[in-house]
Amino acid sequence: MIEEGSKSTKSMVEKRQLFMEMRAQNFDVIRLSTYRTACKLRFVQKRCNLHLVDVWNMIEAFRDNGLSTLDHNAEINVSRLETILSSIFYQLNKRLPTTHQINVEQSIGLLLNFIVATYDSEGHGKLTVFAMKAMLATMCGGKILDKLRYIFSQISDSNGVMVYAKFDQFLREVLKLPTAVFEGPSFGYTEHSVRTCFPQQKKILLNTFLDVLMADPPPQYLVWLPLMHRLANVENVFHPVECSYCRSESMMGFRYRCQQCHGYQLCQSCFWRGHASGPHSNQHQMKEHSSWKSPAKKLSHAISKSLGCMPMGEPPHPVFPEAAERPQDLAHTTSTLESPSRLDEEHRLIARYAARLAAEASNSTQCPPTDLSFNFDANKQQRQLIAELENKNREILQEIQRLRLEHEQASQPTPEKAQQNPTLLAELRLLRHRKDELERRMSALQESRRELMVQLEGLMRLLKDEEQKQASQTGSSPHSSPSHSASCTMPMPIRSTSAGSTPTHTPQDCLAGVGDDVLDAFSQGVPRNLRNDLLVAADSITNTMSSLVKELHSVDDGLEDEEEHLRNGREKVSSLKHSGKRQSTPSF
């Protein structure tokens, strides 16, 4: 007895869990009943993970569990309902990536308790097939157009005309959803609901049915249904606009603009709660926006519309053929495409069936002429039906494959997502700037090194010339006139100003054109400090020049011009020494 009591208590807690979580969201503070109902049902949809199940997957689950062949008024017990929900969520986990798996047992428990509380409030333990189909087709994910087309296929006759009694039954079942979330007074079922939706039309076809339920506004009893789908589409929409009441600098979801107060806009939280400030009043007409357009886009849109470059309005749905459609329960199609071999197997089955039809047509040639024409027409119709089913199945499989690829791409990180990180972008820009700066510095240092090498080569060549002249003068006559080579000047290269460009040469390339003496001084194999090398070379040149000056003092007075020239050379060496100190090379 104690164990039965604990099980009963646990069952009651599980039944109330979803409603307790919904109450914790505080949806009752929303002022308008339409938004309040849509938000509550959207919460139930997401909490039970029904938003991840497409309507086509739901129809496939109905077929796999044998519901397509059952009468709408047939009853199923709770245990079979749990089996159906298990197949739905386990198939969902097979389609989802491993990183987005759901808790199947928890989803089954929450949804099962919600369905039982909605459609079996008296505790009979049974519900009709039509009630379960209507509820799951309404609360699952997918486009509202596909849902309404499936619902119409369930409430229409073989001629494609809506049956009022079946539509009335659909309203009875679907309007139990607002009642389950405590919104029955606003959207409860009445006996005049059908005539309120279709007051004048007598023969309701598919396009008329879609026109009425997808109109703006839709019928009052079902106004929450398209709003629930709009909520799903704008949950992640960003509006870079400040709310006029809460002063939030951005909005998520819906945005509402007052049609009387200029520039007055509210976020969905403030509008739903009835907040107002300044001259604005809750009685003012507000326009709902589900996207954001910049002023430039608005201007171009208005110009294109005024010039007739774009249509004034688009139909709410495509126009479908008036012929009756077969019930969209996928009874003649295979399961969801999971591998290329599955598609090949499907085509083989279709080919085998076509071959069997062809064999039956060939055998019918032995029949009387009257039977021959009948069999030929029947086979032709069957082949056409097979071709239509195959084309429709191929389109459905391609759409499923496309949606799966889009889901996988959305679940993987992309470079576009990485570029949205401002910290990462700032670091990348700083690294690029630092790289460019180092490259410019390296280019400038390499050019300075080459200029200094060329200057040292000129000085060494000048010293060699002077030593050779002194040797020739000493060998011939100490009073001979000096050579005119003393008037030679040291070459001073012009420095390039292309330091901002990226260097494309190696450090050895910057010594191109330098003499062998300088290359010998810097070809030690081990990298040396350029500053020390320049200072040592400059000191050596200075000492050599000093000794030459002392020797030249003993030469005839006719060498005064030569002495003046050597003095100029000494001043250039001194300037080169100071220049070497200023152009010190940093250690990399």
Side-chain angles (χ1 to χ4, degrees), residues 18-19 22-23 27-28 33-45 114 117-118 139 174-185 187 224 228:
L18 184 63
F19 296 99
M22 184 179 65
R23 288 183 181 276
F27 290 123
D28 291 330
S33 60
T34 304
Y35 288 97
R36 191 167 59 244
T37 304
C39 288
K40 289 180 178 180
L41 292 178
R42 175 62 178 169
F43 172 79
V44 174
Q45 182 190 48
F114 179 76
T118 303
M139 293 294 293
V174 79
L175 291 180
K176 290 180 181 179
L177 293 173
T179 304
V181 293
F182 314 106
E183 297 296 334
F187 301 104
W224 51 270
M228 185 177 69

Side-chain angles (χ1 to χ4, degrees), residues 478-480 482 552-563:
H479 299 284
S480 60
L552 290 175
H553 276 303
S554 60
V555 183
D556 189 55
D557 294 335
L559 297 179
E560 290 179 359
D561 295 336
E562 185 70 14
E563 183 179 1

Side-chain angles (χ1 to χ4, degrees), residues 49-60:
N49 289 314
L50 275 176
H51 66 296
L52 301 176
V53 184
D54 191 81
V55 61
W56 299 106
N57 301 128
M58 193 65 72
I59 297 171
E60 179 189 355

Side-chain angles (χ1 to χ4, degrees), residues 18 21 33 49 100 131 187 212 215 230 236 248 262 318 395 408 418 424 426 470 486 509:
L18 184 63
E21 293 179 2
S33 60
N49 289 314
H100 293 74
F187 301 104
V212 173
R230 294 205 307 273
N236 298 321
S248 175
H262 177 70
E395 293 175 359
E408 292 176 357
L424 182 59
Q470 288 182 4
D509 295 336

Side-chain angles (χ1 to χ4, degrees), residues 266-280:
L266 292 176
C267 62
Q268 68 176 21
S269 178
C270 294
F271 175 76
W272 289 355
R273 285 159 176 78
H275 296 322
S277 60
H280 177 70

Side-chain angles (χ1 to χ4, degrees), residues 50-83:
L50 275 176
H51 66 296
L52 301 176
V53 184
D54 191 81
V55 61
W56 299 106
N57 301 128
M58 193 65 72
I59 297 171
E60 179 189 355
F62 295 160
R63 179 191 62 82
D64 292 340
N65 288 275
L67 300 179
S68 302
T69 58
L70 294 179
D71 186 76
H72 284 175
N73 296 322
E75 293 183 342
I76 58 175
N77 54 26
V78 177
S79 61
R80 185 172 181 184
L81 175 61
E82 185 176 4
T83 302

Side-chain angles (χ1 to χ4, degrees), residues 9 11 92 97 188 198 245 277 302 331 384 424 444 447 476 481 560 571:
T9 304
S11 177
L92 172 63
F198 301 100
Y245 182 84
S277 60
Q384 291 178 352
L424 182 59
E447 190 65 25
S476 60
S481 61
E560 290 179 359
E571 291 176 355

